Amino acid sequence: MDVMYSMGIGVAFLSSILGTAGILPSDFMFYDTALMLASFLTLGRYLEAGARGKTSEAVRRLMELQPDTATVLRDGREVEVRIHEIDVGDEVIVRPGDRVPADGKVVEGSSYVDESMITGEPLPALKTPGSEVVAGTINTDGILRFRVERTGDETFLSGIIKLVDEAQASKPPIQRIADRAVSYFIPAVLLVAASAFLFWYLVEGAGLLLSITVLISVLVVACPCALGLATPTAVTAGIGRGAELGILIKKGEALEVSDRISCVIFDKTGTLTLGRPRVTDMVGDVLGLAAALERKSRHPIAAAVTERAEEEGVDVPEAEDFRAIPGMGLEGRVDSHHVLAGNRALMEKYGIPLEHWDPEKFESDGKTVVIVAVDGEVKGIIAVSDEIKPGSARAVRELERMGIGTAMITGDNRKTAEAVAREVGIGTVIAEVLPQDKATRVAELRERGEGVAFVGDGINDAPALAEADLGVAVGSGTDIAREAGEVVLMGDDPLDVPAALQLAGKVISRIRQNIFWAFAYNVVLIPLAAGALYPLGIVFRPEYAGLAMALSSVTVVSLSLTLRGYTPPARRLRERQGEG
């Protein structure tokens, strides 16, 4: 597109030089035209640079999050070192108000950490021994000591910056269409400009002055320079806003694909659910007895029971003669009493009747039941299940409001899967699926003409993420899942799935509006203006075309920058409910 503009400026400037030198009459001096066209072009480039600068603010802020120094334990002493001197395995002290200098795992201390610039979540997250901390986040109240696991370019923060930079540099298909159209458009315009010059000069005999004026005008009026701004400014603005909201769009292509999604498939564990079992129901006062046995086991259910006992401050006695019975449960002596904690099979093994106890009502909801018996008599029941994330049901409702269907896929048994699906409002359940079969199920839906988005977080989800039209990886998941997805959600709230689709839809809408206005000013408004001016005796000049280019550039950039303040309806919904 610059070809036509540079030719218009060049012809105007060259004729002006010839007019100054006396080779052509003084009427051929178009210095004002050359200067104004150059000014308009520079203004357009300035607006583009400003738009790109504004949309990169989120990335710059992310880069500025990393502190310059860190307090490291060396030979038992606290030593302040430069950030690049931190090594994997070092133990770092982070005091209240300090930023975390690297990625790692807490080994001592308890504190709330502000992760809003990484995840978009406004509330600080509690960090205790075993919790992971991310470079750039802010320690708010306590002192933490953590062991460094990733530094420099390997940190989570550096990965975010790299993803955003790559996405802003990529072109969605709609931009390639514009590029291809321009590649045919330019030769056609050059041919028209040359033909117009020859027609007026040779056929009509209008003279060189008018013929050159027509040549310059055609070159400039046909140049929708704002078309070059239409896609990049909207893409960079949208991706920058997504980064601020904790929604990373890795590729520009993902924006246009999002516009035709008709079905979203959720993985269950870790996506719709928290991915770890928690105690949901208790019948009878048996938590302390059960925890006495469970804390000696490494089973996930045991961890859920002992965690609940700690939360409630229950006094847990010491268990003796402990024995794990594979596939059934645990056995031991607690305060001289024989205690069993396990499933129905364990009770049957010891001939203990359930009598009026009814674990069926919990099992029908897909929960795992721990029956606790003391000295041959059932004393209580503890129900454990993978807790559903608070935003799961809201996410499904929002997708349905958008006219997008939902489904859930999982390797769990059908009873558990259907219980989760009922609670979140998903009607289609694909259960007992092997990891390698998830991608096959996605492919089957695509073959039926569905635009499929897959949302997952685990290593076993990577093939399905890659197979789907749009792979959405939950940021709390594995590195492999994040690599396979085109969109990465930094938080773990499923409500960010409709938010990401809404943001992508808004970006594509802005690109279409931009392309319309890029052409409208030059192809429609200028000919109309020329037709109105000519009968009034006012000669149409190239400056008018330059003004149209400036106006179209202003319009395109202004429309793009509205994305900077855009908040998807799904995020507004979460914020309102969070405040409530």
Side-chain angles (χ1 to χ4, degrees), residues 10 100 134 211 242 272 274 413 434 495 513:
V100 177
V134 178
S211 301
L272 292 173
L274 293 174
N413 65 76
L434 296 174
L495 202 55
Q513 290 179 45

Side-chain angles (χ1 to χ4, degrees), residues 123-157:
L123 297 177
L126 177 63
K127 302 295 181 180
T128 56
S131 300
E132 292 189 353
V133 289
V134 178
T137 55
I138 304 173
N139 184 25
T140 61
D141 51 5
I143 297 177
L144 292 175
R145 178 162 62 92
F146 75 93
R147 183 172 291 109
V148 176
E149 295 182 345
R150 291 180 295 275
T151 62
D153 293 339
E154 296 179 356
T155 63
F156 194 57
L157 180 61

Side-chain angles (χ1 to χ4, degrees), residues 493-517:
D493 189 344
L495 202 55
D496 280 340
V497 175
L501 295 176
Q502 289 162 354
L503 175 63
K506 182 63 72 172
V507 173
I508 292 299
S509 172
R510 282 289 179 268
I511 290 174
R512 288 171 179 155
Q513 290 179 45
N514 287 349
I515 290 176
F516 169 79
W517 285 109

